[in-house]
Every structure is written in C-alpha cells, then in structure tokens.
Amino acid sequence: MSTLRILREFAAVRWFRPLRSRRAVARRQRRLLRRHVRFLRRRSPYFRELLADAEFDRLPLMDKRIMMAQFDRMNTVGANKEQALELAIANERSRDFDADLGANSVGLSSGTSGHRGLFVVSPAERDAWVGTVLARTLPRGDLLGHRIALFLRADNSLYESVGSRAVSFRYFDVYADMSENVARLQEYRPTILVAPPSVLRVIAKAAETGDFDVVPKKVYAVAEVLELADADRIRAALGQPLLHQLYQCTEGFLAHTCERGVIHLNEDSVLFEREALDAERFVPIVTDLRRRAQPIVRYRLGDVLRAKSEPCACGSALAAIDRIEGREGDTLLFRGSDGRPVPVFADVVARALLFADGFDEYRVVQTAASRLEIALDVVDDRSRRSVGAEVAGLADRLGCERPEVVFVPYTHDASVKLRRVVRDWGEGRP
Ligand SMILES: [Zn+2]
C-alpha cells in the first residue's frame, strides 16, 4: 500500500481533474482509450489477437463467462486461472484475505448471476481505488478525522485497511452475527457508513429501537439495488438528509452520488456505451480505461440503468443517472393481451408494491409464464389482499393478463445479495 499513490489519486479526482463539459469528458476518454489500447496490444495476448483484426469499437462484447474462459490469455500479469482460483477460494473459506498472488490481490465474486468470477488487482490499482473512493465519499471541506465503516460481503485485500490519523477504516463482515456487528458499530461511531441496503435496514431497525444512536455524516448504499421504500426508511432512521450510493462491483467502481444525491457515472476513468432498452433505460457496456492487470473491455453488465433527462445542478459534466434499477435478467415478463411477453422492469414492480401495506420485507419471484411467487414477512389476509390488488392493478395498467400469485413466508439469507424482484423462469436470465 502506497500512501503517496493514494493521495495522488485522491487529489487528482477531487481537485485537479474537474470535468466541466461533455467535451472535456470525451477528450479525456479518447486520450485514455488510445493509451489503453496500446497497452492491451502489447501486454494481453487475448486482446492483441482481437485488435489485429478490429478497432476497439468492433471488439466483441465481454461478460463473466468469456472473462473466465479466457482468463489466462486476457490478464496482463501472467496469472494462471487454476492457481488464482485456488488461492481466492482458500481466502474466502478462511475469511482471512491475506494471501496474495505475487504482488497482486485475487478475489472471488459471486455476483447475482451464479457464475463464479475471479478478479485480479495490482497494488497500483488498489491504491488508485482507495484514493478514488475517498475522493468521492469524504464530505466537502471536511476531510480529516473520518471513521469509515464498511460492510462487505466478499472481502479481499483490495479493501485492505488504511489506518492513519487522517482517516480510519473498519471492516464488518456481513456473515458475522448482526447484533454483534451493530454493537461494534455503535462503539466505533462511524462518520461514514457504507453497506448494502439489506444491512442498512438492520442498522436502521437498531436505530429505531435505540440500539444504535450514531448519526453518521454520510451513509452509502452499495452492492444491491436500493429500493425507494428502503431508502426512505433508512434515511429517516439514521437521520440523513439523503442517502448516497456507490455503484461498485467486481467490474469496477462505476458511479457515485454527488452532494445532491444524484448518481453520476465515473466517466473520468470508465467508458460507458449504452445499449438502449427504451427511451430512458439502458444496459451499460463498460470499459475501464485504467484497469490493466485484468482488463475490463466492452464488458456488458446486464444491469438496467435509467438516465436522467436533465443535467445535474451540481455542475458535474459526468452523466447523471436517475436510478440503478436492477438486473436485466430480473425484468419480469407478463403475458400481453396478444399472448406476447411484455417486459415489466424490476423497478416498476417495486414501485407498484410501494402502495401495498401490511408487511415489511418482500420478494417477488416469477416462476412461470404467468405466475408470481411473492414472499412476505407477514402473510395474512390484509397483506395478501393489498399485494394482490397492486399486482392486478399493474397488470391491468400494462394491458396484460393478471398473473397468478402464490404467497409464501419470507426467509432472510445474508449470504446472497438481496434482490427483491427476481425472474427465475424463461429466456435471457443471467
Ligand atoms: Zn450532481
């Protein structure tokens, strides 16, 4: 870990690299892309071969399957997949993320797609990551003395502790007992709290019952889709004017919220191509212009993002996003009046259920062509009637057949990412 490298990145992101116009963003991306393509030609056998026949914008799209299949030829640090995988699994088993692959860190990602992903990060990339995250999260005009609490599912030494007087990190394992986690958190008194929404909900409940009384300066949701209803409740319980988000996944640190709470894509280091789903929604195809150990090039993420139509009032030229809605494969398919499938975005389902009541936790799973299995933590006449009416209303509004709804009890599983709307049937699933 090099403090100097972290500080350099921090300063660059925070002060010296303001991108005030779309032209400035495009210019920076073009310059980084040229350099990155040169590097790939030189150092990645996989990309050297592809780039011999095609320009960058004609390269085939990449996903986790291809990344894993071509791992050895794609990475630029000579990592071997079997070796790296063995090490990453041993780290994950022991939940002690010390073992590294040479100078590089390895980690596993389960993601939401079931495929196991493997990632390799160099020390320079790790430092740049820490610097960027700090630059994007520390409050304006208030840089020193922060205590940052991080709740992470898949840890690895990418997130290795940075401890200094200026800023301290503490890691909380989401697999550990949550009441112990909350007690440790209370004692740590974080000024910045970063956790998945499902964990933030637990902390919010602790705040409501008086078991947690710290009011952090900023609270960040990461790693899971943040539902509007969850956001409101967490915000209120933790005394926050707004809830921030970091869009961080194995494929990179992709977006952050500005001081107004609007999500901005990290276009200063990541190139986003957009595959349009409708007028506002798109699936991002990302190229990390600076990640070299394991290149992420034209990687199709499969997340549904909704663009904001007007620029953000904060003055940043980085593209503004209204919502990160969820996985493309979790877009439900209702049956239209003509028998054809009608896509119903996960966010649309979640919004419809905002109006239902009588329960706290829910999960909607499409299990067949016109069948939904809905798990509720309170299954009684009231919740059933209320949810049933909202689902029927949604189907009517969309001109679709009303799906059959089966209610089941809600079970909590901390080991998997919380997805409230899931399609477990049909084509196009991840
Ligand atoms: Zn903004």
Side-chain angles (χ1 to χ4, degrees):
M1 172 105 10
S2 152
T3 311
L4 189 66
R5 249 186 338 220
I6 295 174
L7 284 176
R8 200 162 52 206
E9 190 65 25
F10 178 93
V13 173
R14 185 91 177 205
W15 297 305
F16 301 133
R17 204 191 285 150
L19 296 168
R20 296 267 172 233
S21 69
R22 290 305 296 170
R23 265 181 56 205
V25 173
R27 202 178 318 126
R28 175 171 167 78
Q29 291 190 331
R30 268 199 308 275
R31 184 165 54 78
L32 289 179
L33 181 61
R34 268 199 306 273
R35 194 195 296 168
H36 196 52
V37 167
R38 266 203 310 274
F39 172 84
L40 292 174
R41 276 188 208 279
R42 217 165 52 231
R43 298 286 293 278
S44 167
Y46 175 79
F47 285 111
R48 183 184 309 134
E49 198 178 298
L50 288 177
L51 285 163
D53 297 330
E55 293 297 314
F56 168 82
D57 51 9
R58 291 270 175 263
L59 289 179
L61 298 188
M62 193 171 141
D63 58 18
K64 196 182 277 179
R65 199 176 44 79
I66 296 172
M67 192 170 82
M68 288 300 282
Q70 300 291 339
F71 183 88
D72 290 9
R73 297 177 62 235
M74 205 181 270
N75 83 78
T76 65
V77 292
N80 166 283
K81 182 172 140 191
E82 299 314 316
Q83 246 178 342
L85 202 54
E86 209 175 293
L87 192 63
I89 289 171
N91 277 348
E92 185 74 33
R93 280 236 172 83
S94 61
R95 298 206 69 69
D96 171 21
F97 301 91
D98 288 341
D100 281 344
L101 191 71
N104 304 295
S105 313
V106 290
L108 278 181
S109 71
S110 58
T112 45
S113 64
H115 283 304
R116 188 164 56 180
L118 181 61
F119 59 98
V120 180
V121 181
S122 74
E125 288 167 337
R126 199 165 62 191
D127 293 344
W129 179 83
V130 173
T132 309
V133 170
L134 288 176
R136 294 289 186 212
T137 51
L138 295 185
R140 274 202 172 168
D142 177 16
L143 292 179
L144 298 179
H146 283 285
R147 291 180 302 279
I148 305 178
L150 289 162
F151 280 82
L152 299 166
R153 185 161 287 105
D155 196 346
N156 90 328
S157 41
L158 170 62
Y159 314 114
E160 183 183 313
S161 301
V162 184
S164 76
R165 261 198 297 274
V167 58
S168 87
F169 283 80
R170 190 169 295 176
Y171 296 87
F172 295 80
D173 190 341
V174 298
Y175 290 103
D177 179 75
M178 271 312 289
S179 54
E180 276 169 36
N181 270 339
V182 170
R184 277 182 65 214
L185 191 65
Q186 169 72 27
E187 180 219 343
Y188 183 55
R189 307 193 72 77
T191 58
I192 296 175
L193 170 61
V194 183
S198 54
V199 171
L200 290 176
R201 281 190 60 116
V202 175
I203 299 169
K205 276 183 195 157
E208 285 163 3
T209 57
D211 292 327
F212 181 72
D213 68 1
V214 181
V215 178
K217 289 185 178 163
K218 282 172 121 182
V219 175
Y220 281 90
V222 289
E224 289 168 0
V225 172
L226 177 65
E227 303 289 355
L228 294 173
D230 290 343
D232 285 345
R233 176 158 181 195
I234 294 162
R235 208 175 42 67
L238 297 178
Q240 302 296 307
L242 48 94
L243 198 56
H244 288 278
Q245 290 188 66
L246 293 178
Y247 181 25
Q248 157 75 44
C249 51
T250 318
E251 292 80 19
F253 177 27
L254 302 176
H256 65 281
T257 42
C258 66
E259 77 268 23
R260 294 177 185 254
V262 171
I263 302 166
H264 289 275
L265 299 179
N266 293 345
E267 292 175 306
D268 52 343
S269 56
V270 180
L271 182 69
F272 289 81
E273 297 172 73
R274 301 182 182 201
E275 190 182 304
L277 295 176
D278 62 16
E280 304 153 335
R281 294 180 173 88
F282 67 94
V283 172
I285 296 162
V286 301
T287 299
D288 193 319
L289 297 168
R290 298 176 65 201
R291 195 149 150 199
R292 293 184 154 189
Q294 182 179 30
I296 301 290
V297 176
R298 303 203 80 208
Y299 192 107
R300 192 179 183 283
L301 272 177
D303 286 343
V304 177
L305 270 56
R306 201 172 67 216
K308 214 173 166 59
S309 43
E310 67 282 4
C312 182
C314 75
S316 167
L318 301 177
I321 296 297
D322 224 6
R323 294 261 306 145
I324 298 162
E325 295 195 342
R327 302 292 298 175
E328 187 191 17
D330 286 335
T331 300
L332 305 189
L333 296 172
F334 282 13
R335 195 184 281 150
S337 50
D338 57 357
R340 277 197 302 211
V342 173
V344 185
F345 294 103
D347 201 51
V348 172
V349 179
R351 275 169 194 268
L353 291 185
L354 277 178
F355 303 107
D357 46 26
F359 62 94
D360 223 20
E361 301 280 357
Y362 75 91
R363 194 158 185 257
V364 177
V365 183
Q366 180 168 17
T367 53
S370 199
R371 186 173 187 274
L372 302 180
E373 196 178 275
I374 300 185
L376 300 174
D377 59 344
V378 179
V379 186
D380 59 14
D381 279 352
R382 175 168 167 241
S383 64
R384 267 200 298 258
R385 224 181 4 249
S386 164
V387 170
E390 291 305 331
V391 171
L394 175 62
D396 293 354
R397 281 199 299 284
L398 297 169
C400 293
E401 179 183 304
R402 292 180 176 185
E404 176 199 355
V405 177
V406 181
F407 289 96
V408 297
Y410 183 91
T411 49
H412 186 74
D413 184 355
S415 66
V416 293
K417 280 192 189 188
L418 177 67
R419 291 145 75 211
R420 291 206 186 274
V421 178
V422 176
R423 179 156 58 88
D424 196 12
W425 162 86
E427 298 265 299
R429 284 185 298 116

